[in-house]
Short mmCIF file of all heavy atoms in Angstrom, two decimals:
data_model
loop_
_atom_site.label_atom_id
_atom_site.label_comp_id
_atom_site.label_asym_id
_atom_site.label_seq_id
_atom_site.Cartn_x
_atom_site.Cartn_y
_atom_site.Cartn_z
N ARG Y 243 -16.02 -6.31 0.63
CA ARG Y 243 -17.25 -5.93 -0.07
C ARG Y 243 -18.02 -4.83 0.66
O ARG Y 243 -18.84 -4.14 0.04
CB ARG Y 243 -18.13 -7.17 -0.27
CG ARG Y 243 -19.08 -7.07 -1.44
CD ARG Y 243 -19.87 -8.33 -1.62
NE ARG Y 243 -19.10 -9.47 -2.02
CZ ARG Y 243 -18.82 -9.80 -3.28
NH1 ARG Y 243 -19.26 -9.01 -4.26
NH2 ARG Y 243 -18.13 -10.88 -3.59
N GLY Y 244 -17.78 -4.69 1.92
CA GLY Y 244 -18.42 -3.62 2.68
C GLY Y 244 -17.54 -3.15 3.82
O GLY Y 244 -16.87 -3.97 4.47
N GLU Y 245 -17.48 -1.84 4.01
CA GLU Y 245 -16.72 -1.27 5.12
C GLU Y 245 -17.62 -0.44 6.01
O GLU Y 245 -17.14 0.17 6.96
CB GLU Y 245 -15.57 -0.40 4.59
CG GLU Y 245 -14.55 -1.18 3.81
CD GLU Y 245 -13.44 -0.32 3.26
OE1 GLU Y 245 -13.73 0.81 2.80
OE2 GLU Y 245 -12.29 -0.75 3.30
N GLY Y 246 -18.92 -0.45 5.71
CA GLY Y 246 -19.85 0.35 6.48
C GLY Y 246 -21.03 -0.47 6.96
O GLY Y 246 -20.91 -1.27 7.89
N ASP Y 247 -22.17 -0.32 6.30
CA ASP Y 247 -23.39 -0.97 6.74
C ASP Y 247 -23.27 -2.51 6.76
O ASP Y 247 -23.89 -3.17 7.58
CB ASP Y 247 -24.57 -0.56 5.86
CG ASP Y 247 -24.89 0.91 5.99
OD1 ASP Y 247 -24.45 1.53 6.96
OD2 ASP Y 247 -25.60 1.44 5.10
N ARG Y 248 -22.48 -3.08 5.86
CA ARG Y 248 -22.31 -4.55 5.77
C ARG Y 248 -20.88 -4.96 6.10
O ARG Y 248 -20.36 -5.95 5.56
CB ARG Y 248 -22.75 -5.03 4.38
CG ARG Y 248 -24.21 -4.78 4.09
CD ARG Y 248 -24.67 -5.49 2.82
NE ARG Y 248 -24.50 -6.92 2.85
CZ ARG Y 248 -25.30 -7.77 3.49
NH1 ARG Y 248 -26.35 -7.33 4.17
NH2 ARG Y 248 -25.06 -9.06 3.46
N LEU Y 249 -20.28 -4.25 7.04
CA LEU Y 249 -18.89 -4.51 7.41
C LEU Y 249 -18.70 -5.94 7.93
O LEU Y 249 -17.79 -6.66 7.50
CB LEU Y 249 -18.47 -3.50 8.48
CG LEU Y 249 -17.11 -3.72 9.15
CD1 LEU Y 249 -15.99 -3.58 8.14
CD2 LEU Y 249 -16.92 -2.74 10.31
N LEU Y 250 -19.52 -6.37 8.86
CA LEU Y 250 -19.32 -7.67 9.49
C LEU Y 250 -19.61 -8.80 8.52
O LEU Y 250 -18.95 -9.83 8.53
CB LEU Y 250 -20.17 -7.78 10.75
CG LEU Y 250 -19.87 -6.74 11.83
CD1 LEU Y 250 -20.74 -6.94 13.04
CD2 LEU Y 250 -18.39 -6.75 12.22
N GLU Y 251 -20.61 -8.62 7.67
CA GLU Y 251 -20.90 -9.61 6.66
C GLU Y 251 -19.73 -9.76 5.67
O GLU Y 251 -19.39 -10.86 5.22
CB GLU Y 251 -22.17 -9.28 5.89
CG GLU Y 251 -23.44 -9.31 6.74
CD GLU Y 251 -23.73 -8.02 7.50
OE1 GLU Y 251 -22.83 -7.15 7.58
OE2 GLU Y 251 -24.85 -7.89 8.02
N ALA Y 252 -19.11 -8.63 5.35
CA ALA Y 252 -17.97 -8.66 4.44
C ALA Y 252 -16.79 -9.38 5.07
O ALA Y 252 -16.07 -10.13 4.40
CB ALA Y 252 -17.57 -7.24 4.07
N ALA Y 253 -16.60 -9.19 6.37
CA ALA Y 253 -15.53 -9.90 7.07
C ALA Y 253 -15.80 -11.41 7.06
O ALA Y 253 -14.87 -12.21 6.91
CB ALA Y 253 -15.39 -9.39 8.49
N ASP Y 254 -17.07 -11.78 7.24
CA ASP Y 254 -17.42 -13.21 7.17
C ASP Y 254 -17.04 -13.79 5.81
O ASP Y 254 -16.54 -14.92 5.73
CB ASP Y 254 -18.91 -13.40 7.41
CG ASP Y 254 -19.32 -13.21 8.87
OD1 ASP Y 254 -18.45 -13.39 9.74
OD2 ASP Y 254 -20.50 -12.88 9.12
N GLU Y 255 -17.28 -13.03 4.73
CA GLU Y 255 -16.92 -13.51 3.40
C GLU Y 255 -15.42 -13.70 3.29
O GLU Y 255 -14.96 -14.73 2.76
CB GLU Y 255 -17.42 -12.53 2.32
CG GLU Y 255 -17.09 -13.03 0.91
CD GLU Y 255 -17.44 -12.04 -0.18
OE1 GLU Y 255 -17.18 -10.83 0.02
OE2 GLU Y 255 -17.95 -12.46 -1.22
N LEU Y 256 -14.62 -12.74 3.73
CA LEU Y 256 -13.18 -12.86 3.65
C LEU Y 256 -12.69 -14.10 4.40
O LEU Y 256 -11.84 -14.87 3.92
CB LEU Y 256 -12.50 -11.59 4.19
CG LEU Y 256 -10.98 -11.63 4.22
CD1 LEU Y 256 -10.39 -10.34 3.66
CD2 LEU Y 256 -10.47 -11.86 5.64
N ILE Y 257 -13.21 -14.30 5.60
CA ILE Y 257 -12.80 -15.45 6.41
C ILE Y 257 -13.22 -16.75 5.71
O ILE Y 257 -12.44 -17.73 5.70
CB ILE Y 257 -13.40 -15.35 7.82
CG1 ILE Y 257 -12.75 -14.16 8.56
CG2 ILE Y 257 -13.21 -16.63 8.60
CD1 ILE Y 257 -13.46 -13.77 9.84
N ALA Y 258 -14.39 -16.78 5.12
CA ALA Y 258 -14.83 -17.98 4.40
C ALA Y 258 -13.95 -18.29 3.20
O ALA Y 258 -13.62 -19.45 2.92
CB ALA Y 258 -16.28 -17.81 3.96
N ILE Y 259 -13.53 -17.24 2.48
CA ILE Y 259 -12.66 -17.46 1.32
C ILE Y 259 -11.32 -18.02 1.79
O ILE Y 259 -10.78 -18.97 1.18
CB ILE Y 259 -12.45 -16.13 0.56
CG1 ILE Y 259 -13.76 -15.72 -0.13
CG2 ILE Y 259 -11.31 -16.25 -0.45
CD1 ILE Y 259 -13.75 -14.30 -0.68
N ALA Y 260 -10.78 -17.51 2.88
CA ALA Y 260 -9.54 -18.03 3.42
C ALA Y 260 -9.66 -19.50 3.79
O ALA Y 260 -8.79 -20.32 3.47
CB ALA Y 260 -9.10 -17.21 4.62
N ARG Y 261 -10.77 -19.82 4.43
CA ARG Y 261 -10.99 -21.19 4.89
C ARG Y 261 -11.16 -22.15 3.70
O ARG Y 261 -10.54 -23.21 3.62
CB ARG Y 261 -12.22 -21.26 5.79
CG ARG Y 261 -12.50 -22.67 6.34
CD ARG Y 261 -13.77 -22.69 7.16
NE ARG Y 261 -13.73 -21.79 8.29
CZ ARG Y 261 -14.43 -20.66 8.43
NH1 ARG Y 261 -15.27 -20.30 7.45
NH2 ARG Y 261 -14.33 -19.92 9.49
N GLU Y 262 -12.01 -21.77 2.75
CA GLU Y 262 -12.31 -22.67 1.63
C GLU Y 262 -11.16 -22.81 0.65
O GLU Y 262 -10.96 -23.86 0.05
CB GLU Y 262 -13.57 -22.18 0.91
CG GLU Y 262 -14.83 -22.28 1.75
CD GLU Y 262 -16.07 -21.83 0.98
OE1 GLU Y 262 -16.12 -22.06 -0.25
OE2 GLU Y 262 -16.96 -21.25 1.62
N ALA Y 263 -10.40 -21.72 0.46
CA ALA Y 263 -9.28 -21.77 -0.49
C ALA Y 263 -8.00 -22.27 0.16
O ALA Y 263 -7.04 -22.62 -0.54
CB ALA Y 263 -9.06 -20.40 -1.11
N GLY Y 264 -7.95 -22.32 1.50
CA GLY Y 264 -6.75 -22.78 2.18
C GLY Y 264 -5.59 -21.80 2.06
O GLY Y 264 -4.44 -22.21 1.85
N VAL Y 265 -5.89 -20.49 2.18
CA VAL Y 265 -4.86 -19.47 2.06
C VAL Y 265 -4.95 -18.48 3.23
O VAL Y 265 -5.99 -18.34 3.86
CB VAL Y 265 -5.05 -18.65 0.75
CG1 VAL Y 265 -4.81 -19.54 -0.47
CG2 VAL Y 265 -6.41 -17.98 0.69
N PRO Y 266 -3.84 -17.80 3.55
CA PRO Y 266 -3.92 -16.68 4.47
C PRO Y 266 -4.74 -15.56 3.83
O PRO Y 266 -4.83 -15.48 2.61
CB PRO Y 266 -2.47 -16.24 4.67
CG PRO Y 266 -1.64 -17.32 4.07
CD PRO Y 266 -2.49 -18.00 3.04
N ALA Y 267 -5.33 -14.69 4.65
CA ALA Y 267 -6.10 -13.57 4.11
C ALA Y 267 -5.80 -12.32 4.91
O ALA Y 267 -5.54 -12.38 6.10
CB ALA Y 267 -7.58 -13.88 4.11
N GLU Y 268 -5.88 -11.17 4.22
CA GLU Y 268 -5.63 -9.89 4.87
C GLU Y 268 -6.69 -8.90 4.45
O GLU Y 268 -7.11 -8.87 3.30
CB GLU Y 268 -4.24 -9.34 4.54
CG GLU Y 268 -3.97 -7.97 5.12
CD GLU Y 268 -2.51 -7.74 5.48
OE1 GLU Y 268 -1.86 -8.70 5.95
OE2 GLU Y 268 -2.04 -6.60 5.30
N ILE Y 269 -7.12 -8.08 5.41
CA ILE Y 269 -8.08 -7.00 5.15
C ILE Y 269 -7.29 -5.74 4.82
O ILE Y 269 -6.48 -5.27 5.62
CB ILE Y 269 -8.95 -6.74 6.41
CG1 ILE Y 269 -9.73 -8.01 6.78
CG2 ILE Y 269 -9.90 -5.57 6.16
CD1 ILE Y 269 -10.41 -7.90 8.15
N TYR Y 270 -7.54 -5.20 3.64
CA TYR Y 270 -6.94 -3.91 3.29
C TYR Y 270 -7.56 -2.81 4.15
O TYR Y 270 -8.77 -2.76 4.38
CB TYR Y 270 -7.24 -3.57 1.83
CG TYR Y 270 -6.26 -4.07 0.80
CD1 TYR Y 270 -6.71 -4.72 -0.34
CD2 TYR Y 270 -4.89 -3.89 0.94
CE1 TYR Y 270 -5.83 -5.17 -1.32
CE2 TYR Y 270 -4.00 -4.33 -0.02
CZ TYR Y 270 -4.47 -4.96 -1.16
OH TYR Y 270 -3.59 -5.39 -2.13
N HIS Y 271 -6.71 -1.88 4.59
CA HIS Y 271 -7.08 -0.67 5.32
C HIS Y 271 -8.31 -0.84 6.21
O HIS Y 271 -9.38 -0.29 5.97
CB HIS Y 271 -7.27 0.53 4.36
CG HIS Y 271 -7.97 0.25 3.09
ND1 HIS Y 271 -9.26 -0.21 3.02
CD2 HIS Y 271 -7.54 0.37 1.80
CE1 HIS Y 271 -9.61 -0.35 1.76
NE2 HIS Y 271 -8.58 -0.01 1.00
N ILE Y 272 -8.14 -1.64 7.24
CA ILE Y 272 -9.23 -2.01 8.13
C ILE Y 272 -9.88 -0.76 8.72
O ILE Y 272 -9.20 0.17 9.17
CB ILE Y 272 -8.71 -2.97 9.24
CG1 ILE Y 272 -9.89 -3.55 10.02
CG2 ILE Y 272 -7.67 -2.30 10.14
CD1 ILE Y 272 -9.47 -4.70 10.94
N LYS Y 273 -11.22 -0.72 8.69
CA LYS Y 273 -11.94 0.46 9.15
C LYS Y 273 -13.42 0.14 9.33
O LYS Y 273 -13.91 -0.92 8.87
CB LYS Y 273 -11.80 1.61 8.13
CG LYS Y 273 -12.51 1.34 6.82
CD LYS Y 273 -12.57 2.57 5.90
CE LYS Y 273 -11.26 2.92 5.26
NZ LYS Y 273 -10.89 1.91 4.22
#
Side-chain angles (χ1 to χ4, degrees):
R243 205 177 292 273
E245 296 179 320
D247 295 344
R248 297 189 59 78
L249 172 65
L250 300 181
E251 294 85 348
D254 286 336
E255 181 186 42
L256 177 134
I257 292 168
I259 291 169
R261 182 184 300 110
E262 293 182 34
V265 295
E268 176 148 324
I269 300 169
Y270 272 132
H271 41 61
I272 190 168
K273 68 170 74 70

